[in-house]
Structure formats: C-alpha cells, structure tokens
Amino acid sequence: MTNKYVYLFNEGNASMKNLLGGKGANLAEMTNIGIPVPFGFTVTTEVCNKYYEDGKKISDDIMSQIYDSLTKLEESTGKKFGDNSNPLLVSVRSGSRVSMPGMMDTILNLGLNDVAVEAMAGLTNNPRFAYDSYRRFIQMFSDVVMNVEKRLFENKIDELKERKGVEIDTDLTADDLKELVGEFKELYKKEKGEEFPSDPKIQLMDSIAAVFRSWDNPRAIVYRRMNDYPGEWGTAVNVQEMVFGNKGETSGTGVVFSRNPANGDNEIYGEYLMNAQGEDVVAGIRTPLPISKLKDQNPTIYKEFEDIVNKLESHYKDMQDMEITIEEGKLYFLQTRNGKRTAQAALKIAVDLVEEGMLSKEQAILKVEPKQLDTLLHPAFYTEDLKKAVPIGKGLPASPGAACGKIAFTADEAKDRNALGEDVVLVRLETSPEDIEGMVAAKGILTVRGGMTSHAAVVARGMGTCCVAGCGTIKVDEKKRTVEVNGKVYTDEDFISIDGTSGNVYGEKIKTVTPEILGHFAIFMGWADEIRKLKVRANADSPKDAEQAVEFGAEGVGLCRTEHMFFAEDRIMAVRQMITSNDLEQRKVALDKILPMQKADFIGIYEALEGKPVTIRLLDPPLHEFLPSAETDIKELANEMGITFDELQSTVQELHEFNPMMGHRGCRLAVSYPEIAEMQARAIIEAAIEVKKNKGYDIVPEIMIPLVGEIKELKYVKDVIVNTVKKVIEENGVTLEYKVGTMIEIPRAALTADEIAKEAEFFSFGTNDLTQMTFGFSRDDAAKFLGAYYDKKIYEQDPFAKLDQTGVGALIKIAVEKGRSTRPDIHLGICGEHGGDPSSIEFCHNIGLDYVSCSPFRVPLARLAAAQAQVKQPR
Ligand code: PEP
Ligand code: MG
C-alpha cells in the first residue's frame, strides 16, 4: 500500500500531532467534535522531510494525493478552483508539532486569478473587497513564495495613492485596486521574468513548497534551537477553505483565549476587529477591541462563541488559544491550540484546573514548561525606587516582569550590545519575526504599535521576557534613533525601564529585585516535590548563594567550587601567592592567609544550609583564570611576597600553559602540592566542628576530589585528606562523620569507575569537563566553531548546555553501572551545567541518579523537571 501523505480534516484526530502538526491535528479534532471549522486537508510532516530528501521537490505520488484531496474539498464545499461562478479560495499555513508563532510562512486568498476575482466580486456584490483580496494575494505570494520584496509592492500602493490624491488604503476604489492588480502583475513579471501564475493548482503546489522551505528559514532555526525542537520534526501544511472577516461590517476576525494568558484569570480573553483579516490583528497594524465588546455588539454570536470556547477547553483540558472569523454573521473557528501563557498564568491555570477537578496533580505538573519558571525568579522593580519613579508613558502589559537597560533601536544592535555585556531594552515601532535574536538578547521589549496578540507580545510571553506593547504616546524615530516623549528626547545612551505587569514606561534607571516563591507558585512546587524522586541540590560558592538556593527549595549543596571563593578583589592576592610560590615555605605563608577565609566561608555555607548536605570540592583552578598578567598586579604581588618583579614574572611565564583546561588543575594540583589539600581539609572539618558545636547542626561534610582519571591519584589525595581530618578531629576531641568522593569528569574515570568506586563514597558527574573531554572540544573555544556546526546541521544544540545523551550519556551510564558493581550504595549526582537543563534532568532521573545540582536560580526548574520525569517514567 502506498503511504498516506495527505489527510482530510475528517480523517485525523488530536493524537496525531507528530504527523499532522499541532494545528492540523486540532483542526481534525474540532471537525470531528462538531465545531464549525472551514473544511480542508493537511499535508503531513513526513512530506516536509521527504521534500528536503528529494532535493526540495514534491514528488509525483504526493502531488497526486494533494490533488485528490483538493477534489474532495471542492466537492464538500461545492466550490471550484478558478471557477467563474463559485470559486474556491484557500489559506495555506504551516503547522509543526508545537506552535512556533510567526516563525514560518502563510499564504492567504490562494486561488484568485482574473476569472475567480470577477466571480467573487459578483458573489459578494463587493468588487472592492474582491480586488483588495486579489492584490493582497499577489503581494503575499510574490513575497513568501517567490522572494519578491514586499517593499516594491508597498511603493506601488504609495504611488497609486499619490496619483489618486488619497491618504489611506481604504479610500482606494475597486477600480483603483483593479489598476493596482495590473501593476502588481507587471512588477512580478519584471522581477521574475515570467507571468504571475494564474493556475490555482500551480499557486497551491508552489505555496506548499514555500511553507516547507520556511521550516528552515533562519528565524525558525533560531527559535528551534532556543526551544530545543529538533529539525527532523518538520512542519505540516494545512490547506483550508478561506472564510472572510473583511467582507464588511457583519464580518470580523479575532484571537481569543479561554483564560487570561497574562495572569491566568478564568475569563474569556482576547481581541477582535470587525471588517478585517486575521493578519491585521496579528501584525499589530490596527488596534483591536476587547472580545467582551462583542457581547454588546452581537449577543447571539457571542453566546455561540462562548459555548464553543467552553467546550474546547473542557475537551482539551487546558487553556485554549483560538482564532475565529465571522463571515457575514456566521462564526467559524480557524484553529485552536493549548495557549502560550506567562509563567504566572501557567501556574494559576494548572492549580485552578486541579481545583476544578479537570486535571490530576500529575497531569497538571506537565502543563508548565520548566524553563518558564525562570521568568518568575527574575527581577521586579525595587518597590521603594518604583514609588519615586514617574511614568513617561503607558502601554499594554503584554508580558510581565520588569526590565531596565539602555535603549536599543534595532534587533541587531540589541544583540551586539548585549554580547558586550550591556543591558538593553529593545524599543521598536513594532517587532517582526526577524527580530527574534534581538528580542532574546534584550532585557525587555517596548513597542509603539500592536495589541496583546501582536508579534512582540506573543513572542515575548513565550520567552518570558518583559514586554510593554502598543505604547502609542511615545514617539520613536527609528532612523534618527531617538525616543521622544513630551518634548524630551532619549537616545541610545539613556536608560529606560518598563513594567510588563502594569504597562508603565519610565525614562530612568530603576533598581530591580528578585521575587519569592509564593501563592500558586508555592502550591504547584509543593506538588512537584511530592511527586519527584530525584533530589535537587544547588551549586553554591558563597553563603549568599547558599541562602538563595535554600529559598528556592534546594535540598543541599551539590558543588561548592572553592576556587570561586577567591575571585574577590581582596582575596585574589593570597591565591596568586599560593599558585606562584616557588617553595613550600612561601606556599605555607599564603595558605595560612587562606585558611581563615575558607573556614569562614564554610561556616557561612553550613549555617545557611541548616544541616542539609554540602559537597565541597577541593581547589580546581584553571591556572590562567588566576595568574596575574597586568604589570601592576605582578608588582604588587612581588612586593607582598618579598621577591623581585623579574623573579615573579619569570614564575608566571613558567606557569603559562598552552591548554589550561587540560592543564595543571584539579587533583593534579593536590598531587603536586598536598599542603593545599591539607589546608582545605582542615578548613572544611574545623568549620563543621564549629557549626555543630555552636548551632547543633549535624553536618556530614562531603569532600570531593576533582578531575580524577586514575584510582591511584584519587587514593593519594584521599590519604592526604583522611590523615588531615584525623588530626583535626583528634585536636578537637570530637567525633565527626564525613565522606570523601570524586567527580567523574574524565572519560578514563568513567571507564574505570568500578576501580574508582573502591575509594570514592560518592560520584558527582562533572559533565562540563566530561563533555569537553569526550568531544575533544575546549570549553573555552568551542563557541567559536559551534556556529558552523549548527549551520551545517551537524549539531542542533550546544552539548555544553544540553547533555549529549548518546556519547557523554553512554559514559555516565557505564560509570553508574560500574560504580554500583563495587559499591552498591554509592551516592550519585550531577553538578555540571546540565544539572539545570530539563531534558538532561530527565535523563538523570531515568538512569537512576540520586540528585542533580544546578545554579540556585535553576533550582525550581530542576524540581519541576524532576517531577515531570517521574510522571513520564515512574521509578
Ligand atoms: C564540571 O566539569 O562539570 C564541573 C562541574 O566542574 P567545573 O565546571 O568547575 O570544571
Ligand atoms: Mg570540572
């Protein structure tokens, strides 16, 4: 049997998202449950992959299935492509497994040609509308399918308006628009060297191909990488009978949500415009009305609409985002999907749906994207400062949060300035999909035009970036690069602050603060904690970080990088002295300075953790991060050490390494200079004894040895620690339990983990180094060439951010198995960056690790990801 590549809407259902895309599967489902949906068919995601495999061609067998479905669509609607009495017009839209708003292409009004347009003019008794649709189609097809610049068409419209002496598009008459159609076709011929295709079947096939190509346009690729969606998913294409919201005052179009996507309130929410097409709303060109107004304007339609919205929400058991069109008084639903929402709204909706009995806690846990939680932990304005600030404008509160930065006028600028470490707020008339990278880089987004469902608003909410949209009272001159409000001019050197919760805009710098976990957030996280099996610890190097981590729900510290305790200005001298000492005596002088600092830090961390476990790692300084390089620093240090500048400089030169990431770091340092490990072991144990005595916390320090590759080096360093600890315990006349374990971050350690586990009481996977060493990519240099790998589709993701489960993951699995073979109760965790990445956390759950450890701000995300992993695969 031949493969089925095309499905009519009555042939699919909601479970077929992978094949039909989210939009296609939902259109099928809606058709089946009796929602008024204009009929159509879906070309599957498989065809997208096949299109690329076949050298960007739609093969004959697929084409014939498309034509068969078209015939059925014609039969079902009673309309015909290119017909002179009742022509069929269709929309051609993308639709991947997950929605990627605005990232791919759409073609509307397809099927119009010189014959169909006349028929349409007659049918609607509205030639102006028919010719306006026709010119829009030519413009869209030329731009999207044939790459003829939109601007060229816009110029023609402007020229025509000038000739006719009119100001706005709607003042152009049917005849004017007919003239415009002729000019558009001529323009097309000039640009493409051929006639504009009048055969709707050719228009259709070219448009389907264009939508497939748009799967791989640069903004879609960036969006996929950002959201971790693989390229192999592909997009489906939906071909659907057109209904028109711009047929006059009894027609309209809207975008609506079954609950408020900004705050989660249980109320129908959205916007609509009478006499308009969907794109007018989404593009933010005209500012629409709140949907509640429709109730006054047309109570009968509103009632029907409300019933369907409620039906769809209970059917999908989730908040729905729907597109509607009213055509001459008849209501249609063009699509529905689980609506994108802010993190606040996601939490409220998840909690409400459980309380309303629609979902179980386990189901609700899956409704919030772990990465979204991030936005809740990000800054809000400092209340005292906010009280003093005076808004200079107010727009729509499109995506909550607070942002402050200097003004950036273009997406590229936002990206570049952010890369240089500057905080910027992107200020635009309106945003378009090409702006995606700049929107990611900006702290916040402010637009002059557009509503709550404009591109900027939708995308910002999805990313969790603060956004104020449609702030019409500020004047932005994108050419002059100025913002003007009430006569005051702001440039790219000025700060602007925006409040995405109130919509307020401030022409000044306002301090921001980190919020707490309260309300729905706390309830929801409580459920996640009840469900999950994987423990969550934090990587924290200071008492302050440790405190923050506990506030965010960390159950311990999984990695305290002791070298990070010395970046501070007043401490770096002592560390440099330790590193550059030429003999034991000099080094001991430095170590004596460091010991009390270390001890004080450990005390602070133990106290912040209130008895929860803490893993402290022995020093692992890549030398280049610590060596002095500036002449003044070398001079100062030489003075401190009582040696000459030249002596010290030559030591610094000797210490220079060609590849510091693989150099004299980790346990290698302790092998060369055991006195460093001795000092650290002493500080760790003395601090624990003191806190136990003073605060009564029962602390069991976990001492971790980094960068181990060989059992004998582990044993050597462990012996230094054990002997020191013994001494300290005896000196103090106390008893204290402690553990010694190791990081697994060198492939050799993973491969010999059965040996290593004889000495190590715990393993912590250092997947930053393990990734570096497995790929043979330097952590410091990989960013330089990974871009080329993404472009060539060799890698889709940064392996330093998302665990490479195939390679690095295989090593981890080997180490887990081997480690347990010699020490069945070995405690296992991960502390590389991957410990805060949802898909990597799922992997850790599935292979049975005991905990993940990540930065304090990612702790809530990790708690949720761990709970989701348990729901998906209970252990
Ligand atoms: C690691 O290598 O994964 C790790 C946590 O250690 P660091 O990043 O400090 O090398
Ligand atoms: Mg490491």
Side-chain angles (χ1 to χ4, degrees):
M1 206 188 97
T2 50
N3 247 334
K4 186 166 170 65
Y5 291 117
V6 186
Y7 288 75
L8 292 165
F9 287 170
N10 57 7
E11 292 178 322
N13 63 58
S15 71
M16 296 166 75
K17 282 204 165 70
N18 295 0
L19 188 64
L20 302 180
K23 190 182 288 171
N26 285 335
L27 283 167
E29 186 80 8
M30 284 199 288
T31 305
N32 294 336
I33 63 171
I35 310 283
V37 174
F39 200 52
F41 57 86
T42 304
V43 186
T44 67
T45 54
E46 258 174 38
V47 178
C48 182
N49 288 332
K50 210 164 166 313
Y51 172 79
Y52 284 101
E53 277 161 27
D54 293 348
K56 298 199 180 171
K57 272 219 277 298
I58 299 177
S59 62
D60 291 347
D61 53 336
I62 295 174
M63 262 200 245
S64 83
Q65 289 194 28
I66 292 174
Y67 290 140
D68 282 350
S69 304
L70 180 64
T71 308
K72 292 192 182 120
L73 177 58
E74 288 179 330
E75 282 163 13
S76 137
T77 56
K79 298 177 180 175
K80 253 184 136 36
F81 246 0
D83 197 52
N84 63 5
S85 61
N86 197 8
L88 172 69
L89 303 190
V90 296
S91 64
V92 179
R93 294 174 201 254
S94 60
S96 72
R97 209 180 273 204
V98 287
S99 84
M100 296 170 44
M103 295 301 134
M104 288 180 284
D105 289 334
T106 293
I107 298 102
L108 301 176
N109 301 330
L110 187 143
L112 278 172
N113 57 20
D114 293 351
V115 177
V117 73
E118 280 300 324
M120 198 171 157
L123 274 178
T124 57
N125 209 9
N126 189 346
R128 192 192 178 281
F129 159 70
Y131 277 95
D132 191 42
S133 301
Y134 195 14
R135 71 96 191 157
R136 281 173 194 251
F137 167 60
I138 298 175
Q139 201 170 341
M140 207 172 210
F141 183 91
S142 306
D143 167 32
V144 172
V145 182
M146 305 304 290
N147 283 322
V148 185
E149 272 186 84
K150 233 191 303 199
R151 184 181 49 88
L152 299 174
F153 294 95
E154 298 291 345
N155 291 347
K156 291 272 174 218
I157 301 177
D158 289 342
E159 282 166 27
L160 181 71
K161 280 197 290 197
E162 206 169 314
R163 269 205 318 274
K164 304 285 172 187
V166 301
E167 290 269 326
I168 47 176
D169 291 11
T170 42
D171 287 341
L172 292 170
T173 64
D175 282 341
D176 296 339
L177 291 166
K178 194 169 178 175
E179 193 178 320
L180 192 61
V181 162
E183 286 182 24
F184 275 12
K185 286 206 278 190
E186 251 170 55
L187 173 65
Y188 180 93
K189 192 172 173 188
K190 189 167 142 240
E191 292 296 315
K192 300 309 295 182
E194 60 189 29
E195 297 289 344
F196 186 84
S198 61
D199 180 347
K201 284 190 171 174
I202 292 177
Q203 296 172 355
L204 178 65
M205 217 47 82
D206 286 351
S207 298
I208 292 174
V211 173
F212 286 144
R213 283 196 301 279
S214 75
W215 175 247
D216 253 355
N217 72 32
R219 61 178 192 260
I221 292 175
V222 170
Y223 190 88
R224 287 207 294 272
R225 193 177 315 137
M226 217 168 78
N227 289 288
D228 207 1
Y229 302 150
E232 69 193 28
W233 281 359
T235 182
V237 181
N238 299 294
V239 178
Q240 187 174 25
E241 183 199 354
M242 282 291 296
V243 284
F244 292 91
N246 53 348
K247 267 190 179 173
E249 290 312 316
T250 56
S251 302
T253 183
V255 178
V256 284
F257 297 84
S258 61
R259 297 181 190 226
N260 185 318
N263 63 21
D265 280 352
N266 189 1
E267 65 189 3
I268 295 180
Y269 181 88
E271 295 166 328
Y272 76 110
L273 263 178
M274 290 315 272
N275 200 8
Q277 269 197 328
E279 297 304 298
D280 299 336
V281 180
V282 177
I285 292 162
R286 281 167 60 192
T287 300
L289 298 171
I291 194 75
S292 54
K293 282 258 179 329
L294 182 65
K295 205 176 194 168
D296 311 329
Q297 227 175 23
N298 194 330
T300 324
I301 289 228
Y302 188 84
K303 176 79 180 72
E304 187 193 352
F305 156 79
E306 192 179 25
D307 288 347
I308 295 176
V309 169
N310 292 335
K311 178 170 175 179
L312 283 173
E313 186 180 275
S314 15
H315 186 77
Y316 284 102
K317 298 184 191 313
D318 201 350
M319 186 265 267
Q320 295 299 295
D321 162 2
M322 296 146 292
E323 227 180 280
I324 58 162
T325 288
I326 305 165
E327 189 186 57
E328 296 178 324
K330 174 151 175 43
L331 174 68
Y332 293 95
F333 278 67
L334 301 193
Q335 73 162 312
T336 192
R337 59 187 172 198
N338 293 340
K340 296 229 184 265
R341 60 203 84 174
T342 64
Q344 280 100 326
L347 291 166
K348 175 163 167 46
I349 291 169
V351 172
D352 285 353
L353 290 179
V354 172
E355 281 167 5
E356 289 163 27
M358 215 188 284
L359 296 180
S360 68
K361 286 180 190 173
E362 280 74 12
Q363 288 169 322
I365 281 296
L366 298 176
K367 296 286 179 198
V368 180
E369 270 284 321
K371 280 191 180 153
Q372 260 200 313
L373 296 183
D374 216 31
T375 61
L376 296 176
L377 307 170
H378 282 168
F381 287 129
Y382 184 60
T383 324
E384 290 307 308
D385 284 16
L386 190 62
K387 273 189 206 151
K388 284 182 236 146
V390 183
I392 56 167
K394 192 173 173 74
L396 298 167
S399 179
C404 173
K406 287 189 179 171
I407 301 171
F409 290 91
T410 67
D412 280 346
E413 180 191 346
K415 196 174 114 194
D416 295 346
R417 288 172 66 185
N418 174 260
L420 296 173
E422 210 177 332
D423 287 349
V424 293
V425 170
L426 181 61
V427 181
R428 307 275 287 152
L429 288 172
E430 66 208 5
T431 63
S432 67
E434 295 86 71
D435 293 339
I436 181 84
E437 283 187 280
M439 295 172 75
V440 175
K443 288 271 169 272
I445 299 153
L446 170 63
T447 70
V448 175
R449 296 201 282 254
M452 291 294 281
T453 48
S454 64
H455 174 265
V458 172
V459 174
R461 274 201 295 277
M463 297 191 307
T465 303
C466 160
C467 174
V468 173
C471 182
T473 51
I474 63 168
K475 287 202 191 89
V476 174
D477 190 325
E478 290 184 338
K479 275 210 190 91
K480 277 204 234 145
R481 302 169 50 75
T482 54
V483 173
E484 198 194 316
V485 192
N486 300 330
K488 186 164 182 275
V489 175
Y490 300 82
T491 69
D492 58 8
E493 274 307 303
D494 292 310
F495 277 98
I496 199 158
S497 297
I498 59 172
D499 185 335
T501 314
S502 66
N504 281 339
V505 177
Y506 304 87
E508 62 195 284
K509 189 174 176 176
I510 308 179
K511 211 161 75 193
T512 52
V513 284
T514 310
E516 294 170 75
I517 300 181
L518 300 167
H520 295 110
F521 194 1
I523 297 172
F524 184 82
M525 291 313 296
W527 295 344
D529 291 343
E530 275 168 31
I531 292 167
R532 73 187 158 91
K533 290 287 187 292
L534 202 57
K535 299 247 182 243
V536 177
R537 295 193 184 187
N539 295 353
D541 316 319
S542 68
K544 187 169 151 276
D545 279 0
E547 239 165 66
Q548 181 71 77
V550 171
E551 230 161 80
F552 287 159
E555 296 162 290
V557 163
L559 174 64
C560 170
R561 289 178 164 104
T562 51
E563 65 282 0
H564 283 193
M565 298 170 145
F566 294 106
F567 281 133
E569 193 88 33
D570 55 333
R571 295 180 167 198
I572 190 117
M573 278 273 273
V575 180
R576 286 178 172 161
Q577 189 174 343
M578 174 183 78
I579 294 172
T580 56
S581 295
N582 275 327
D583 54 40
L584 183 61
E585 214 171 305
Q586 262 184 356
R587 198 167 307 109
K588 286 220 156 133
V589 174
L591 290 172
D592 285 345
K593 286 186 201 162
I594 294 173
L595 178 69
M597 301 178 194
Q598 288 257 274
K599 197 170 142 184
D601 282 339
F602 296 147
I603 289 175
I605 291 179
Y606 290 144
E607 287 183 353
L609 266 291
E610 300 179 342
K612 295 182 188 71
V614 184
T615 308
I616 296 172
R617 180 177 77 182
L618 297 191
L619 212 57
D620 178 13
L623 281 186
H624 64 307
E625 286 179 21
F626 287 89
L627 283 176
S629 57
E631 211 175 291
T632 49
D633 288 346
I634 299 181
K635 257 189 207 146
E636 200 183 337
L637 184 59
N639 271 345
E640 176 85 17
M641 293 169 72
I643 55 175
T644 66
F645 175 85
D646 289 345
E647 274 174 305
L648 182 58
Q649 193 170 38
S650 93
T651 307
V652 169
Q653 268 158 12
E654 273 168 37
L655 286 173
H656 172 82
E657 292 178 322
F658 287 102
N659 187 347
M661 270 301 170
M662 301 242 212
H664 199 183
R665 55 179 283 229
C667 66
R668 295 159 201 170
L669 209 63
V671 170
S672 311
Y673 311 121
E675 56 278 14
I676 298 179
E678 268 171 33
M679 178 278 291
Q680 290 204 289
R682 176 172 285 278
I684 292 167
I685 298 301
E686 284 185 355
I689 292 173
E690 231 175 276
V691 174
K692 191 173 173 179
K693 200 160 71 195
N694 295 340
K695 301 272 175 177
Y697 301 138
D698 202 9
I699 295 161
V700 183
E702 298 168 3
I703 303 174
M704 182 153 75
I705 303 171
L707 228 66
V708 164
E710 154 64 43
I711 173 75
K712 286 191 209 135
E713 74 183 333
L714 169 62
K715 172 119 181 45
Y716 175 82
V717 181
K718 184 181 169 184
D719 286 347
V720 172
I721 296 169
V722 171
N723 290 334
T724 309
V725 175
K726 219 161 132 196
K727 229 191 283 171
V728 177
I729 288 180
E730 271 169 23
E731 283 166 17
N732 286 275
V734 293
T735 54
L736 185 84
E737 228 189 290
Y738 70 100
K739 293 195 170 90
V740 181
T742 184
M743 298 200 53
I744 302 287
E745 46 189 346
I746 290 187
R748 194 176 188 284
L751 297 170
T752 59
D754 45 349
E755 289 287 308
I756 304 269
K758 287 182 192 156
E759 293 295 338
E761 289 170 275
F762 62 86
F763 286 170
S764 178
F765 290 96
T767 44
N768 302 334
D769 276 310
L770 194 58
T771 300
Q772 161 173 269
M773 314 254 183
T774 304
F775 278 83
F777 288 170
S778 160
R779 288 161 67 173
D780 289 340
D781 297 319
K784 288 184 205 146
F785 52 79
L786 275 176
Y789 278 75
Y790 302 144
D791 291 346
K792 314 247 153 82
K793 296 200 177 153
I794 298 170
Y795 297 127
E796 287 192 280
Q797 292 291 334
D798 178 354
F800 289 104
K802 184 182 169 189
L803 189 75
D804 158 46
Q805 297 183 15
T806 324
V808 179
L811 280 170
I812 297 177
K813 280 192 205 156
I814 291 173
V816 167
E817 202 175 299
K818 290 200 163 205
R820 285 197 178 127
S821 74
T822 42
R823 192 186 288 268
D825 64 345
I826 190 163
H827 197 234
L828 301 168
I830 179 176
C831 65
E833 277 305 298
H834 308 91
D837 168 68
S839 71
S840 313
I841 293 169
E842 187 175 341
F843 173 82
C844 294
H845 166 91
N846 290 345
I847 61 166
L849 297 196
D850 296 300
Y851 70 91
V852 296
S853 187
C854 56
S855 72
F857 277 88
R858 283 173 153 191
V859 165
L861 170 162
R863 287 159 66 197
L864 175 55
Q868 293 187 341
Q870 171 68 15
V871 174
K872 287 188 209 159
Q873 190 173 313
R875 77 174 206 206

